[in-house]
Amino acid sequence: MPELLLGLDAGTTTLTACLFTPAGELLSQASGAIATTNPAPGLVEQDAAKIWTQTKRVIRKTLALAGRSAHDVAGIGITTQRTSLVMWDRKTGAPLSPLVVWSDLRGAGRAAELQALGIGVSPQQAISKLEAIWRAVPDYGSLLSQGRLAWGNIDSYLIFRLSRGTHVTDRSQAWPLGYLDLQTQAWNQRLIELQGLDIQAFPTLCDSWGHMATCHPSVLGAAIPIAGDMADQQAAMVGQGTEADGACKVTYGTSATVNVGTGGKFRFGGPTLPPMVLSGVKGETRFCIEGMIFTAGAALDWLRRSFNLGNHAAFEALAAAAPPESGLAVLPAFQGLGAPHGDLGRRAVITGLSLATTPGQIARAGLESIALRVSEVVERIYGLDDMGPRPDLVRVDGGLTGNELLMQMQADLLGIPVARHALREATACGAAICAGRGVGLLGATETSGFVRHDRVFEPVMSADAAASRLNLWRQQVQLT
């Protein structure tokens, strides 16, 4: 009997497949890059067909590395970047548009128009961009009349290609798109009609775990249940075991995202701290609140390239050797200032430069800026009414958590121990857990075998010193 679980994570820059046992043991993993193009200022696109090719490659490589075959896989779980969108032909599976990435800002003008109508949207959401992409498809009316026009986030596209025809998405993926009506738990027909779109091109809504499709035998060599679908940040919450009310996780990647579980309560923390659907299963919806720092790892990459600070290991070593107090401060607002400020017009700042500034000081200030921005978001979320006390542990994942100086800075500035997931790809771990729940190999809340931390960073800075450092940095980068 097949019993292995495959977690597939199609992120913004990398696609990763991980193969697990039901006990949470990682047998193998493989990754591949996802190329991004910027055809004009503010436009961010990817090639869905190439992502599909990469998907097949990394799954096959993961199975080969473990010495297993598709016949050993009991279920596939998928997690992806959120609120991207692509149009495709149901008959051929061929994309009819580029994959428009979540960070693409071509919808800024339309978002303002929708906001003027009283519809709460952001430029990053698909609802701000879909009309333009839809009508740019050649002969879209003819394709629609033939039942061939389809659209969705990349999760829907990959499930469609894996199954050779099933067009679905779950509510954690649907909510960021902007079209989900939480009152009915269905697509918002009023918004769809307002934009002159047609619901037949929309994916069918499904549970976050449970049987939703079957991978066609011609794709990987076996008919495998596709039993989990969840947005990336929510999947990381599952992979971290932070689905409970009040639990907190932070994912550090291209951006940095703070998520706090709110159970069955739909809590709104303001435009920059929106509620998100964590999961929807058998009519029960769980929520979280989210704060996103738009530029985290991408800011550090810019510093490394621009100041010739070497690879990631060299960058950390330079920062570790620099004195903690240099008078230097960085604001990592390369794509605007996200939570809790919500100022898309702000741009990155490096202040306090002098002829005595060293490369190490620049590296250290860059790392500290990420920890300070995360601290701002955590402080604001737990300062909301009815949020309860701050947690006794913050769980972290993502590529940047390999930087131990950054993790220690984070623990110090939060004044809370920081537990680092042993598997940096906690999103793929969460997808596999969803698949395990979906095929009945794991209980509805079972995660303990998968939630493993390789180190807990204990704070060593006093609360007064941490508060003083945060306040000084805010003054330096003019956030007060």
Side-chain angles (χ1 to χ4, degrees), residues 4-152:
L4 303 182
L5 301 171
L6 183 75
L8 178 69
D9 175 14
T12 305
T13 58
T14 306
L15 196 147
T16 301
C18 296
L19 190 65
F20 297 90
T21 69
E25 178 188 1
L26 176 65
L27 299 181
S28 61
Q29 73 178 83
S31 298
I34 297 176
T36 299
T37 59
N38 303 96
L43 304 190
V44 188
E45 298 179 353
Q46 295 173 348
D47 187 328
K50 290 182 178 179
I51 295 174
W52 167 234
T53 299
Q54 189 76 287
T55 296
K56 292 182 288 184
R57 188 190 71 80
V58 298
I59 291 176
R60 288 166 180 159
K61 184 175 181 180
T62 299
L63 292 171
L65 288 172
R68 302 301 184 97
S69 76
H71 293 282
D72 297 315
V73 180
I76 297 174
I78 294 174
T79 183
T80 67
Q81 57 172 299
R82 301 172 303 184
T83 202
S84 297
L85 70 98
V86 62
M87 309 287 300
W88 70 90
D89 186 335
R90 291 181 191 269
K91 183 176 180 179
T92 66
L96 298 170
S97 75
L99 175 70
V100 179
V101 180
W102 61 271
S103 55
D104 183 285
L105 294 176
R106 73 186 68 196
R110 183 54 173 151
E113 293 172 356
L114 292 169
Q115 290 165 2
L117 296 174
I119 301 169
V121 301
S122 72
Q124 287 85 2
Q125 288 184 283
I127 189 174
S128 301
K129 311 167 198 177
L130 179 57
E131 294 161 280
I133 303 303
W134 184 298
R135 294 185 175 95
V137 172
D139 299 323
Y140 75 87
S142 175
L143 289 168
L144 187 61
S145 66
Q146 297 174 59
R148 292 173 56 179
L149 192 66
W151 87 278

Side-chain angles (χ1 to χ4, degrees), residues 65 74 87 94 111 150 190 218 225 277 311 325 335 347 381 458 466:
L65 288 172
M87 309 287 300
R190 183 180 67 85
S218 66
V277 174
N311 61 21
E325 302 295 338
Q335 293 172 288
R347 287 297 177 261
I381 290 177
E458 297 285 348

Side-chain angles (χ1 to χ4, degrees), residues 67-323:
R68 302 301 184 97
S69 76
H71 293 282
D72 297 315
V73 180
I76 297 174
I78 294 174
T79 183
T80 67
Q81 57 172 299
R82 301 172 303 184
T83 202
S84 297
L85 70 98
V86 62
M87 309 287 300
W88 70 90
D89 186 335
R90 291 181 191 269
K91 183 176 180 179
T92 66
L96 298 170
S97 75
L99 175 70
V100 179
V101 180
W102 61 271
S103 55
D104 183 285
L105 294 176
R106 73 186 68 196
R110 183 54 173 151
E113 293 172 356
L114 292 169
Q115 290 165 2
L117 296 174
I119 301 169
V121 301
S122 72
Q124 287 85 2
Q125 288 184 283
I127 189 174
S128 301
K129 311 167 198 177
L130 179 57
E131 294 161 280
I133 303 303
W134 184 298
R135 294 185 175 95
V137 172
D139 299 323
Y140 75 87
S142 175
L143 289 168
L144 187 61
S145 66
Q146 297 174 59
R148 292 173 56 179
L149 192 66
W151 87 278
N153 189 16
I154 191 63
D155 69 307
S156 295
Y157 183 70
L158 293 180
I159 292 171
F160 184 91
R161 296 303 300 264
L162 285 166
S163 64
R164 294 187 62 181
T166 302
H167 187 200
V168 296
T169 194
D170 97 305
R171 288 169 177 82
S172 73
Q173 298 272 19
W175 173 249
L177 295 174
Y179 291 102
L180 185 67
D181 185 335
L182 285 180
Q183 294 294 323
T184 64
Q185 293 288 304
W187 293 120
N188 190 323
Q189 188 67 50
R190 183 180 67 85
L191 289 180
I192 293 169
E193 292 174 355
L194 174 70
Q195 294 189 324
L197 308 178
D198 194 311
I199 199 167
Q200 70 168 310
F202 280 60
T204 299
L205 292 166
C206 66
D207 284 352
S208 302
W209 56 82
H211 190 278
M212 58 194 66
T214 299
C215 181
H216 196 276
S218 66
V219 177
L220 298 174
I224 309 169
I226 300 172
D229 181 29
M230 186 172 279
D232 55 2
Q233 300 304 326
Q234 290 88 326
M237 293 185 74
V238 173
Q240 284 278 21
T242 53
E243 296 168 82
D245 191 357
C248 177
K249 75 86 190 161
V250 186
T251 297
Y252 300 79
T254 303
S255 57
T257 310
V258 180
N259 292 87
V260 176
T262 60
K265 298 178 182 177
F266 186 80
R267 289 191 176 124
F268 182 69
T272 67
L273 299 174
M276 291 283 175
V277 174
L278 170 54
S279 63
V281 179
K282 296 181 179 178
E284 179 183 354
T285 304
R286 298 183 67 82
F287 299 96
C288 62
I289 195 167
E290 177 173 294
M292 178 176 284
I293 294 102
F294 295 150
T295 316
L300 302 184
D301 288 342
W302 184 89
L303 289 173
R304 288 192 305 105
R305 291 192 308 269
S306 300
F307 292 94
N308 196 25
L309 301 179
N311 61 21
H312 294 286
F315 185 87
E316 182 176 2
L318 279 171

Side-chain angles (χ1 to χ4, degrees), residues 399-420:
L400 282 184
T401 61
N403 190 307
E404 300 203 340
L405 177 57
L406 172 60
M407 293 298 97
Q408 186 59 54
M409 288 175 169
Q410 194 66 81
D412 286 342
L413 289 167
L414 288 174
I416 303 171
V418 168
R420 182 176 64 188

